[in-house]
Amino acid sequence: MTASAQAPSPDIAVRSASLSFGGDLLFDGLDARFAGGRCTCLLGPSGVGKSSLLRLIAGLIAPGAGGEVLAGDGMPIAGRAAWMGQSDSLMPWLGARGNVAIGARLRGEPDFKRALARADALLARVGLQGREADRPAALSGGMRQRVSLARTLFEDRPFVLMDEPFSSLDAITRFMLQEEAARLLQGRTVVLVTHDPLEALRLGHQVLVMAGRPATLGAPIEPPGPPPRDPSDPRVLALQGELLRSLTRAKEAA
């Protein structure tokens, strides 16, 4: 059962997190809350610590002395998060079906035929029916990211962490995958790092700007209506201008 078919996924709280990298203090005593069952988009200048915060949430790095990352249900987040990055990271020797189901293979799930059937169903949901056996070399960049999205959904995790997953794609393919991601990830707690203000405003229930050194998070921006939003909506365009000005100030202060 997917998260959208049951109760929304829990929220995520980051409390008093501190992190240094290369001798620089990225953030110190950082607090953040990511609403359960909703998508939060995170923007900010390059190097400010957005991806590091994502890794911290995933449990890949520690939140520092006195820091903690908690889920709203009181259970750890580590092991319950799916990751989708800018690179599709597909195995070149596997077809699309095998790439989607690779987690089941690595875990040694006993009913692998059932896992492959699930993979086929997800590939159909992202528009790749009939391409299940195709290896990555036979797929376009947009198709490979669709496989990556299907693999993310296959893991059926309550938390989905996305690090610029659409930034390497052309504008039309990016637009289409944004639509699909918004539809397929409903009900999950999503944290999406992006450099694209319009993408953030299309997909995010809330948008946060990370700025400064050590970094802090600005007041949340909440775009009107449910995602995915119409990029030509005057309200979205007005917020895009506001967000661009905020990001410009953040870059000048970096």
Side-chain angles (χ1 to χ4, degrees), residues 104-127:
R105 181 183 291 277
L106 293 174
R107 288 187 294 270
E109 293 186 9
D111 193 351
F112 194 60
K113 286 186 177 180
R114 182 180 179 185
L116 292 176
R118 281 185 58 220
D120 286 349
L122 286 167
L123 287 168
R125 288 180 71 185
V126 299

Side-chain angles (χ1 to χ4, degrees), residues 206-232:
Q206 74 169 0
V207 178
L208 298 173
V209 174
M210 193 173 188
R213 183 63 57 89
T216 59
L217 293 169
I221 298 169
E222 297 186 357
R229 299 176 186 88
D230 181 353
S232 65

Side-chain angles (χ1 to χ4, degrees), residues 81-133:
W83 185 284
M84 184 177 174
Q86 180 176 351
S87 170
D88 55 65
S89 301
L90 301 182
M91 303 296 104
W93 57 87
L94 292 176
R97 176 190 297 113
N99 269 289
V100 171
I102 192 168
R105 181 183 291 277
L106 293 174
R107 288 187 294 270
E109 293 186 9
D111 193 351
F112 194 60
K113 286 186 177 180
R114 182 180 179 185
L116 292 176
R118 281 185 58 220
D120 286 349
L122 286 167
L123 287 168
R125 288 180 71 185
V126 299
L128 288 177
Q129 189 169 13
R131 308 300 296 267
E132 296 89 351

